[in-house]
């Protein structure tokens, strides 16, 4: 099983480890693409349009300066980097040792800058959304899709997709994936959806489960106390949808 996560805009303020070493990150085949995006981001942030292209407010101008120091800034594990609502409810720091080991193998974090991260990968705090059109590369979802797709297509197992649509653009897992949607009173909700997705991921990790099909995933989550409904894809090439009642 793979559990796909988006990153979060909220991040730890700083790292306390050694400087970035791209060669030590998971999926080393992404190294050349990471270098390209890192160089393009640095060039952008050296110019006058960095804040506008990154979609930052005047009060967030310091994020541009932070991006200029990415190659030398102290790093921290991805498990400690992201601090948004999904990650608060996932609670990586409080997982049992067994669940933490499963997280290191099962969780994949999609990133506009790094492409893919595992929880133990060490990177510095940064600011770059997958939704940014980064000169001269264009949309980052399309850029990363070219290098991420062959890597993840080769990974076996059921895919539990907890990403937002922005990050889903970087890889389409097809019929072996289940995209999680959060409903309240029969309507799709965005408020609390991140929290619910974090809870779902934590349940799967702590439950020590490894469902092999969408139907088995439904049984597992029902056993773990979640109210869910499975919707088949319109074609075999698209993901299943799992509706979770919040």
């Amino acid at each position: 099983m793979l559990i796909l996560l988006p990153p979060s805009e909220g991040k730890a303020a700083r790292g306390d480890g050694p400087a970035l070493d791209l060669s030590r990150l998971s999926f080393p085949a992404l190294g050349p693409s990471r270098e390209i995006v890192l160089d393009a981001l640095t060039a952008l942030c050296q110019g006058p349009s960095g804040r506008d292209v990154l979609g930052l407010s005047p009060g967030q101008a310091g994020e541009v300066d932070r991006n200029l120091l990415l190659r030398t800034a102290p790093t921290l594990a991805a498990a400690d980097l992201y601090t948004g609502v999904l990650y608060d409810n996932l609670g990586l720091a409080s997982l049992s040792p067994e669940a933490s080991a499963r997280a290191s193998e099962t969780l994949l974090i999609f990133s506009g800058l790094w492409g893919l991260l595992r929880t133990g990968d060490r990177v510095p705090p940064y600011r770059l959304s997958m939704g940014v059109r980064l000169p001269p590369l264009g949309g980052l979802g399309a850029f990363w899709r070219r290098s991420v797709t062959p890597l993840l297509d080769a990974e076996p197992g059921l895919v539990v997709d907890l990403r937002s649509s922005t990050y889903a653009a970087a890889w389409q897992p097809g019929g072996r994936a289940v995209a999680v949607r959060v409903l309240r009173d029969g309507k799709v909700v965005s408020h609390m959806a991140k929290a619910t997705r974090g809870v779902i991921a934590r349940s799967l990790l702590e439950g020590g489960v490894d469902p092999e099909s969408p139907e088995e995933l439904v049984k597992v989550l029902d056993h773990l106390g979640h109210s869910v409904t499975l919707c088949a894809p319109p074609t075999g090439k698209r993901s299943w949808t799992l509706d979770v009642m919040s």
Side-chain angles (χ1 to χ4, degrees):
M1 177 177 62
L2 295 177
I3 301 176
L4 311 184
L5 301 179
S8 65
E9 288 191 5
K11 297 179 182 69
R14 65 188 66 186
D16 58 2
L20 177 68
D21 184 349
L22 290 176
S23 70
R24 297 182 66 86
L25 298 183
S26 301
F27 300 100
L30 296 179
S33 297
R34 289 165 173 154
E35 290 279 8
I36 289 170
V37 178
L38 188 53
D39 286 345
L41 179 61
T42 300
L44 171 70
C45 291
Q46 288 172 337
S49 61
R51 184 168 60 82
D52 289 338
V53 172
L54 296 177
L56 303 176
S57 68
Q60 296 173 311
E63 300 286 348
V64 175
D65 295 332
R66 172 181 284 182
N67 281 347
L68 291 173
L69 302 174
L70 290 173
R71 291 190 181 274
T72 58
T75 61
L76 70 169
D80 302 317
L81 174 63
Y82 299 107
T83 61
V85 172
L86 187 155
Y87 288 87
D88 287 344
N89 285 270
L90 172 53
L92 288 169
S94 63
L95 290 174
S96 67
E98 296 80 10
S100 183
R102 283 190 287 274
S104 68
E105 298 177 354
T106 301
L107 296 183
L108 291 181
I109 303 167
F110 280 68
S111 165
L113 179 51
W114 317 112
L116 297 172
L117 293 173
R118 294 194 184 274
T119 56
D121 286 329
R122 299 191 67 91
V123 294
Y126 66 96
R127 187 61 175 256
L128 182 64
S129 168
M130 189 74 79
V132 167
R133 295 190 61 82
L134 182 63
L137 307 180
L140 289 172
F143 174 85
W144 282 114
R145 187 163 58 245
R146 292 189 290 272
S147 50
V148 165
T149 296
L151 293 177
L152 295 188
D153 281 354
E155 292 280 331
L158 181 71
V159 175
V160 181
D161 194 348
L162 303 176
R163 299 172 297 170
S164 61
S165 59
T166 299
Y167 290 87
W171 183 48
Q172 296 295 324
R176 67 183 176 116
V178 180
V180 174
R181 186 170 63 174
V182 181
L183 303 182
R184 174 170 290 177
D185 298 327
K187 297 180 180 179
V188 177
V189 295
S190 56
H191 180 64
M192 292 303 294
K194 293 179 181 179
T196 300
R197 289 176 178 138
V199 170
I200 291 290
R202 185 180 180 90
S203 293
L204 292 173
L205 294 171
E206 288 286 8
V209 295
D210 189 14
E212 297 181 354
S213 68
E215 294 85 357
E216 189 176 342
L217 176 65
V218 169
K219 294 178 181 178
V220 164
L221 289 174
D222 182 69
H223 178 73
L224 293 172
H226 300 283
S227 178
V228 299
T229 302
L230 184 65
C231 304
T235 69
K237 295 183 179 180
R238 297 183 62 182
S239 299
W240 297 67
T241 300
L242 185 75
D243 288 338
V244 182
M245 311 308 163
S246 66

